[in-house]
């Protein structure tokens, strides 16, 4: 099997985008060959080879090195490259016999350094060798690999620091650094074009990859990468090309089409979350329901639940939330279930659905307030009937703007109560107005202290002044928080949202909260700190914080990804791979796939 | 008899030099922390409104709810003033102030943190993205002409729905001839406010009436005509 060797046109695709397409470029330079309708890839000669070398003169250094270390994939690519240079050339029969590249000097240590990414060390070792043996010259291939590795390093560094124009410049300076065997760099180049708003060039770069890199997995990964930057139409075009252009023997390109289907499902689920009622067509809705059922996707079921809940189709919503809770019990599913039952007027069922999470999950406790609202003028009327009030209905449909408006009207009419102000705090938090939310909780706190008799029942039904037994959060019985504790907890959540990590860490030990609430806030603080540590490149600190956090709460998916990158940056590649793989096996997302791919490529030097 | 004192002095000097070298080397190893940490932003910390480098006019609709600040290296100080929001719309009303000072040492000049705000402050793309995020489901309009506050011209966007109006205004002060003191390289202001009704001027009034109160005097532009 031969494979298209170089992707110098990844860059030229950009030029072509300006100058009328890659066809024109390839034709004007000769040597371009059609790969697919509208796509041509230039097979670039090796650096320094102005014309094809005479038979028997090709540099086999790299070939022998790859044979020696048993890197079959690169060996194959090198054979193809040498054949492109000299069609009469045949691989030597003694390829696997040990042979020093240059009599007396074995280049293996330098190649090992290059393979390990230690380019500066390799240069230094070569210089040292030349000092010892002035007549010795490193092979052209070795020098070429060094140049390539340096260019690749420049591309990675510029891309990591978002210096997009430098990515393009570095790739232009050494087009071989963005070849199929350095696919990550090609992706980075495409991303750079996209970030520079040169979408056509980004598309052309992706197109060159999916039409010339032979591996189905690489094409599939490219589709996922491209999905961040290209419109659905262009992505469809890219997928069609990737699934058909230049097929290689033994590769199954149906996975490329599957990638598009997965992305489409993701898009539909996202629309479910964001859309107004009725925004999804019946066909799309039916399709996404089928996929969610087939995959028993609890997150998808929750998204469907909220979609129907917003349409006030409570029966359908209840069915999907129940389904999600059956597949993977979670407080998110329980929250929806409580509100859906409440919408149906089945309060007993709503309370039963909340029972496993009551006192343990803030979101379920909040949802329960729609079922058993706190006492107050808008919460059903002090001592009045307990039917769903206007505020309850607003909360049930997650209409937080209405919540603010109703509470404002209530306060204007009957004056503030601690429970009303607290509810206002929660609604402001949902509206991403944490500073005002914190003020509302503080105000509620002051009012609760003044009116202990009217403190009202909290989610757990305890009165403001009631003594709460202190039990350890881990493994302990769920605690009911007093109104004062809920206010303190609300203030802490608001402070977290404003980024007041240092102040909150300082005040947390003295805060009047239940042990479970404190543990939740402490876990959130540690997660915030871990994120900050990763930004500061303090990778050991990331692991230290995440380990400590794990003792308080199970690690969520996003922090698992964070842990993977900390391990990766500490060069604990095997552990990083295991971490990403474990997450990816549970639910494959763009982030988990990126982690798996990059660590795999790093471990096997498959850039 | 040959004289010996010079030999003792040499040995002593050598010992001292070796000790100094070892001290330098080991202190470097033991105390080395990644140098970019000093350039990373500190966590936000709350401050009293009186500690802000800006004074806003008293406003019933937009009172100061909270104030926060953070440093990035020794060059940048950033302040966020959270303002009251009389609407039921999502998002905090706020004024953000970033003050960029000149480094006060050669080392500071050599090792500077990345700029905490982009220049230009917005492109059409980033502005579209920001307004979509700040004012979802509202009609957005980029103002054709700039307006002027005490420190020069500024640009703004308006957003409206049936009941409410919002503005996003931004300004980069770099005039060293008159406005800025020598030590300050630039001041960036970003103002986002939503209010009930359709009176855009009322929303912009706090931004136009505010005064900067940095330790060194920031002069106002002379000509306030055209308001």
């Amino acid at each position: 099997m031969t494979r298209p060797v170089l992707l110098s046109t990844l860059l030229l695709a950009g030029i072509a985008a300006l100058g009328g397409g890659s066809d024109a470029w390839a034709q004007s330079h000769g040597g371009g060959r059609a790969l697919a309708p509208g796509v041509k890839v230039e097979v670039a000669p090796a650096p320094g080879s102005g014309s094809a070398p005479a038979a028997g003169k090709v540099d086999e250094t790299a070939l022998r090195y790859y044979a020696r270390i048993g890197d079959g994939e690169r060996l194959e690519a090198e054979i193809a490259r040498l054949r492109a240079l000299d069609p009469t050339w045949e691989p030597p029969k003694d390829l696997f016999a040990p042979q020093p590249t240059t009599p007396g000097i074995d280049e293996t240590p330098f190649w090992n350094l290059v393979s390990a990414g230690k380019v500066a060390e390799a240069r230094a070792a070569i210089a040292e060798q030349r000092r010892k043996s002035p007549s010795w010259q490193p092979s052209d291939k070795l020098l070429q690999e060094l140049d390539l590795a340096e260019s690749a390093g420049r591309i990675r560094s510029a891309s990591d620091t978002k210096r997009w124009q430098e990515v393009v410049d570095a790739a232009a300076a050494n087009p071989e650094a963005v070849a199929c065997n350095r696919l990550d760099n090609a992706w980075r180049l495409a991303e750079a074009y996209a970030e520079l708003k040169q979408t056509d060039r980004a598309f052309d770069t992706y197109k060159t990859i999916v039409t010339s890199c032979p591996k189905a997995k690489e094409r599939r990964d490219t589709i996922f990468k491209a999905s961040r930057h290209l419109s659905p139409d262009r992505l469809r075009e890219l997928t069609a090309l990737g699934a058909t252009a230049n097929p290689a023997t033994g590769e199954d390109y149906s996975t490329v089409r599957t990638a598009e289907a997965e992305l489409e499902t993701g898009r539909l689920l996202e629309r479910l979350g964001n859309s107004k009622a009725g925004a999804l067509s019946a066909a799309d809705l039916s399709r996404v329901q089928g996929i969610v059922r087939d995959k028993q996707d609890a997150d998808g079921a929750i998204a469907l639940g909220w979609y129907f809940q917003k349409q006030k189709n409570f029966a359908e919503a209840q069915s999907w939330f129940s389904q999600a809770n059956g597949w993977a019990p979670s407080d998110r599913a329980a929250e929806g279930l409580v509100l859906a039952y409440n919408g149906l007027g089945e309060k007993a069922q709503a309370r039963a659905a909340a029972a496993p999470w009551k006192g343990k999950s803030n979101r379920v406790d909040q949802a329960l307030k729609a079922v058993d609202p706190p006492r107050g003028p808008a919460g059903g009327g002090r001592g009045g009937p307990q039917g769903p009030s206007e505020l309850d209905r607003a909360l049930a449909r997650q209409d937080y703007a209405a919540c603010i408006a109703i509470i404002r009207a209530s306060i204007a009419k009957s004056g503030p109560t601690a429970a009303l102000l607290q509810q206002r705090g929660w609604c402001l938090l949902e509206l991403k107005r944490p500073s005002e939310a914190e003020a509302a909780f503080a105000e509620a706190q002051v009012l609760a202290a003044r009116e202990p008799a009217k403190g009202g029942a909290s989610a757990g039904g305890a009165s403001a002044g009631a003594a709460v037994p202190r039990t350890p959060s881990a493994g302990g019985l769920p605690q009911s928080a007093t109104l004062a504790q809920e206010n303190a907890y609300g203030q802490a959540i608001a402070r977290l949202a404003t980024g007041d990590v240092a102040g909150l860490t300082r005040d947390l030990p003295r805060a009047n909260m239940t042990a479970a609430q404190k543990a939740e806030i402490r876990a959130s603080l540690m997660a915030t700190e871990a994120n900050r540590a990763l930004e500061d490149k303090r990778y050991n600190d990331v692991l230290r914080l995440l380990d400590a956090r794990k003792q308080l709460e199970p690690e969520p998916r996003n922090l698992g990804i964070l842990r993977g990158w900390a391990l990766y940056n500490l060069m604990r590649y095997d552990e990083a791979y295991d971490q990403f793989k474990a997450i990816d096996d549970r639910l494959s997302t763009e982030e988990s796939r990126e982690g798996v791919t990059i660590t795999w490529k790093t471990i096997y030097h498959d850039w | 008899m040959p004289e010996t004192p010079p030999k003792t002095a040499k040995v002593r000097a050598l010992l001292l030099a070796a000790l100094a070298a070892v001290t330098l080397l080991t202190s470097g190893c033991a105390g080395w922390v990644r140098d970019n940490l000093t350039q990373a932003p500190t966590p936000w910390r709350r401050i009293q409104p009186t500690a802000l480098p800006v004074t806003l006019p008293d406003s019933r609709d937009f009172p100061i709810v909270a104030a926060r600040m953070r440093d990035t290296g020794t060059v940048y100080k950033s302040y966020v003033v959270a303002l009251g929001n009389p609407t039921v719309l999502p998002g905090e009303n706020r004024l953000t102030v970033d003050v960029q000072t000149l480094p006060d040492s050669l080392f500071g000049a050599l090792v500077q943190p990345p700029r905490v705000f982009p220049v230009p402050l917005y492109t059409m793309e980033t502005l579209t993205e920001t307004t979509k995020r700040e004012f979802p489901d509202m009609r957005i309009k980029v103002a054709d002409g700039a307006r002027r506050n005490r420190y020069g011209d500024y640009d703004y966007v308006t957003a409206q729905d049936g009941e409410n109006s919002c503005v996003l205004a931004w300004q980069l002060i770099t005039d060293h001839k008159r406005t800025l003191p020598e030590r300050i390289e630039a001041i960036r202001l970003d103002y986002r406010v939503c209010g009930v009704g359709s009176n855009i001027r009322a929303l912009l009034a706090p931004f136009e009436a505010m005064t900067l109160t940095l330790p060194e005097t920031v002069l106002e532009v002379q000509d306030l005509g055209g308001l």
Side-chain angles (χ1 to χ4, degrees):
Chain A
M1 183 191 92
T2 58
R3 58 193 284 184
V5 184
L6 296 170
L7 285 182
S8 55
T9 41
L10 288 178
L11 290 156
L12 300 168
I15 299 166
L18 285 180
S22 52
D23 284 347
W25 190 90
Q27 280 157 10
S28 69
H29 285 70
R33 61 195 181 87
L35 294 172
V39 183
K40 287 201 174 187
V41 166
E42 183 70 6
V43 180
S49 57
S51 57
K57 296 284 182 187
V58 293
D59 182 355
E60 293 170 356
T61 320
L63 189 72
R64 291 189 180 281
Y65 172 70
Y66 295 141
R68 194 160 54 248
I69 64 169
D71 188 339
E73 201 171 317
R74 287 197 168 178
L75 182 72
E76 189 187 299
E78 184 65 3
I79 289 173
R81 190 183 75 84
L82 295 177
R83 277 197 175 128
L85 287 176
D86 177 4
T88 62
W89 176 85
E90 282 298 321
K93 292 193 171 60
D94 60 348
L95 193 55
F96 294 95
Q99 274 190 0
T101 315
T102 307
I105 308 280
D106 181 7
E107 286 191 344
T108 306
F110 313 125
W111 281 100
N112 286 341
L113 286 170
V114 177
S115 283
K118 297 175 178 172
V119 181
E121 285 94 326
R123 290 250 188 233
I126 290 169
E128 176 61 19
Q129 187 60 53
R130 291 206 63 191
R131 195 182 59 77
K132 286 182 193 162
S133 323
S135 63
W136 173 74
Q137 284 286 344
S139 65
D140 288 346
K141 181 65 188 171
L142 178 59
L143 293 176
Q144 184 195 341
E145 279 294 318
L146 278 168
D147 289 343
L148 268 175
E150 278 169 351
S151 292
R154 271 196 295 278
I155 291 172
R156 277 200 293 275
S157 153
S159 164
D160 285 343
T161 49
K162 302 189 191 310
R163 289 175 281 127
W164 306 116
Q165 190 55 50
E166 285 181 39
V167 175
V168 174
D169 295 344
N174 197 340
E176 287 185 64
V178 288
C180 278
N181 57 356
R182 289 180 173 78
L183 192 56
D184 180 62
N185 288 339
W187 287 337
R188 286 170 189 261
L189 175 63
E191 184 188 15
Y193 279 135
E195 293 289 343
L196 290 167
K197 308 292 175 206
Q198 298 174 17
T199 319
D200 285 344
R201 293 184 180 195
F203 174 76
D204 286 339
T205 308
Y206 287 125
K207 186 166 81 173
T208 312
I209 298 172
V210 299
T211 53
S212 53
C213 296
K215 287 187 178 172
K217 183 178 182 304
E218 290 175 342
R219 294 188 184 188
R220 176 188 154 86
D221 289 351
T222 303
I223 300 294
F224 283 123
K225 290 272 178 193
S227 68
R228 292 172 63 179
H229 306 296
L230 300 181
S231 66
D233 283 348
R234 299 203 97 174
L235 206 61
R236 266 191 283 279
E237 190 184 338
L238 200 66
T239 310
L241 282 170
T244 54
N246 297 301
T249 319
E251 290 290 331
D252 175 13
Y253 295 106
S254 63
T255 56
V256 182
R257 290 213 186 275
T258 325
E260 194 202 0
E262 282 179 35
L263 286 167
E264 185 61 29
T265 310
R267 266 195 299 274
L268 286 174
L269 285 171
E270 198 181 333
R271 277 179 63 198
L272 274 183
N274 296 335
S275 66
K276 305 278 182 207
L280 229 57
S281 71
D284 279 347
L285 194 57
S286 155
R287 191 170 155 209
V288 78
Q289 283 176 316
I291 293 166
V292 167
R293 268 198 206 98
D294 287 350
K295 294 176 80 175
Q296 300 208 341
D297 176 359
D299 285 338
I302 291 173
L304 278 165
W306 285 121
Y307 178 80
F308 288 115
Q309 181 82 6
K310 280 179 188 166
Q311 289 187 317
K312 297 185 184 173
N313 185 345
F314 300 119
E316 198 69 18
Q318 179 267 320
S319 149
W320 280 108
F321 286 129
S322 292
Q323 196 72 270
N325 218 20
W327 288 332
S330 70
D331 64 339
R332 287 172 56 232
E335 176 196 22
L337 203 48
V338 170
L339 293 174
Y341 275 128
N342 193 50
L344 290 166
E346 297 175 14
K347 292 204 174 235
Q349 293 275 31
R351 288 189 200 101
W357 299 95
K358 196 173 165 187
K360 290 180 191 170
S361 160
N362 180 51
R363 61 172 72 231
V364 172
D365 289 347
Q366 287 306 308
L368 263 177
K369 286 183 181 171
V371 184
D372 298 312
R375 281 184 223 130
R382 219 175 297 160
Q386 289 292 305
S389 68
E390 203 184 351
L391 179 58
D392 300 337
R393 287 196 296 275
L395 290 174
R397 60 176 191 270
Q398 298 188 314
D399 185 349
Y400 302 108
C403 160
I404 298 290
I406 293 163
I407 291 177
R408 188 180 292 161
S410 282
I411 290 175
K413 193 176 162 194
S414 321
T417 66
L420 265 186
L421 288 172
Q422 187 188 85
Q423 187 57 66
R424 182 166 187 270
W426 291 119
C427 292
L428 284 168
L429 266 180
E430 295 287 349
L431 289 170
K432 296 186 172 54
R433 290 162 57 171
S435 301
E436 290 168 272
E438 189 189 345
F441 287 120
E443 222 179 315
Q445 191 85 307
V446 172
L447 212 58
R450 275 193 218 144
E451 50 172 33
K454 292 190 282 178
S458 67
S463 71
V468 176
R470 298 262 163 194
T471 53
S473 63
L477 291 167
Q479 291 175 303
S480 298
T482 63
L483 191 63
Q485 285 171 326
E486 282 209 12
N487 281 324
Y489 174 72
Q491 283 181 70
I493 298 273
R495 288 177 76 174
L496 263 176
T498 61
D500 182 22
V501 178
L504 188 54
T505 306
R506 187 190 58 226
D507 296 342
L508 188 62
R510 293 189 305 277
N512 175 21
M513 285 186 233
T514 65
Q517 286 172 331
K518 273 190 185 177
E520 192 184 325
I521 299 292
R522 181 110 186 90
S524 299
L525 278 170
M526 282 195 272
T528 309
E529 272 296 282
N531 270 300
R532 185 172 147 74
L534 192 82
E535 277 174 24
D536 291 349
K537 301 186 169 69
R538 291 181 282 119
Y539 304 116
N540 282 310
D541 274 352
V542 176
L543 297 181
R544 186 176 63 85
L545 288 157
L546 291 181
D547 286 344
R549 189 194 173 284
K550 223 174 175 178
Q551 291 171 356
L552 298 171
E553 272 184 13
E555 191 158 275
R557 186 181 175 79
N558 61 335
L559 294 182
I561 298 273
L562 197 74
R563 178 184 289 277
W565 287 120
L567 288 167
Y568 178 88
N569 283 293
L570 287 168
M571 290 191 274
R572 291 159 63 176
Y573 299 128
D574 289 339
E575 291 171 72
Y577 180 80
D578 291 344
Q579 175 72 14
F580 286 128
K581 189 76 174 53
I583 294 171
D584 194 62
D585 284 348
R586 291 201 301 275
L587 176 68
S588 183
T589 61
E590 193 175 322
E591 288 77 20
S592 63
R593 283 192 294 272
E594 186 178 31
V596 169
T597 307
I598 289 179
T599 40
W600 189 85
K601 282 174 179 289
T602 304
I603 291 169
Y604 297 104
H605 306 299
D606 184 27
W607 292 106
Chain B
M1 194 176 166
E3 288 180 4
T4 52
K7 193 181 171 188
T8 316
K10 269 186 191 171
V11 169
R12 204 171 167 184
L14 272 172
L15 275 173
L16 279 172
L19 183 68
V22 167
T23 309
L24 275 174
L25 284 171
T26 52
S27 66
C29 290
W32 184 82
V33 177
R34 196 177 286 272
D35 58 3
N36 66 345
L37 281 189
T38 53
Q39 306 301 316
T42 61
W44 288 104
R45 56 187 183 275
R46 13 184 82 205
I47 55 172
Q48 291 300 315
T50 49
L52 286 167
V54 63
T55 305
L56 288 158
D58 286 338
S59 166
R60 195 171 58 86
D61 278 345
F62 312 118
I64 294 178
V65 179
R68 298 184 280 278
M69 77 161 295
R70 76 173 177 189
D71 301 287
T72 306
T74 54
V75 176
Y76 294 97
K77 285 191 188 301
S78 302
Y79 303 85
V80 175
V81 193
L83 303 169
N85 185 343
T87 72
V88 296
L89 295 170
E92 285 200 332
N93 284 348
R94 59 160 201 278
L95 170 68
T96 308
V97 184
D98 292 301
V99 182
Q100 179 185 5
T101 54
L102 287 170
D104 54 6
S105 69
L106 180 59
F107 180 75
L110 290 173
V111 185
Q112 288 200 33
R115 197 161 42 197
V116 298
F117 49 83
V119 175
L121 296 181
Y122 288 103
T123 62
M124 209 53 215
E125 287 81 13
T126 57
L127 188 60
T128 307
E129 202 178 298
T130 307
T131 49
K132 265 189 190 165
R133 189 181 61 239
E134 293 282 353
F135 314 123
D137 305 324
M138 294 181 85
R139 289 187 310 280
I140 311 286
K141 186 174 182 300
V142 181
D144 292 333
R147 285 180 66 89
R148 177 171 278 204
N149 66 8
R150 290 172 184 266
Y151 304 100
D153 292 346
Y154 71 86
D155 294 286
Y156 68 103
V157 162
T158 62
Q160 290 188 305
D161 64 12
E163 295 168 17
N164 309 293
S165 300
C166 302
V167 292
L168 174 72
W170 62 95
Q171 185 172 22
L172 184 63
I173 307 172
T174 53
D175 172 22
H176 291 91
K177 270 190 185 162
R178 173 179 169 84
T179 311
L180 291 177
E182 192 179 12
R183 200 180 66 87
I184 294 175
E185 178 68 14
I187 298 174
R188 178 255 199 154
L189 300 165
D190 199 77
Y191 174 75
R192 182 265 194 212
V193 146
C194 291
V196 179
S198 58
N199 188 345
I200 299 295
R201 283 197 175 201
L203 300 180
L204 289 171
F207 192 60
E208 297 190 347
M210 65 163 191
T211 50
L212 292 166
T213 49
L214 289 151
E216 297 94 339
T217 308
V218 178
L219 290 178
E220 298 175 10
V221 289
Q222 281 170 312
D223 178 18
L224 282 174
L227 276 172

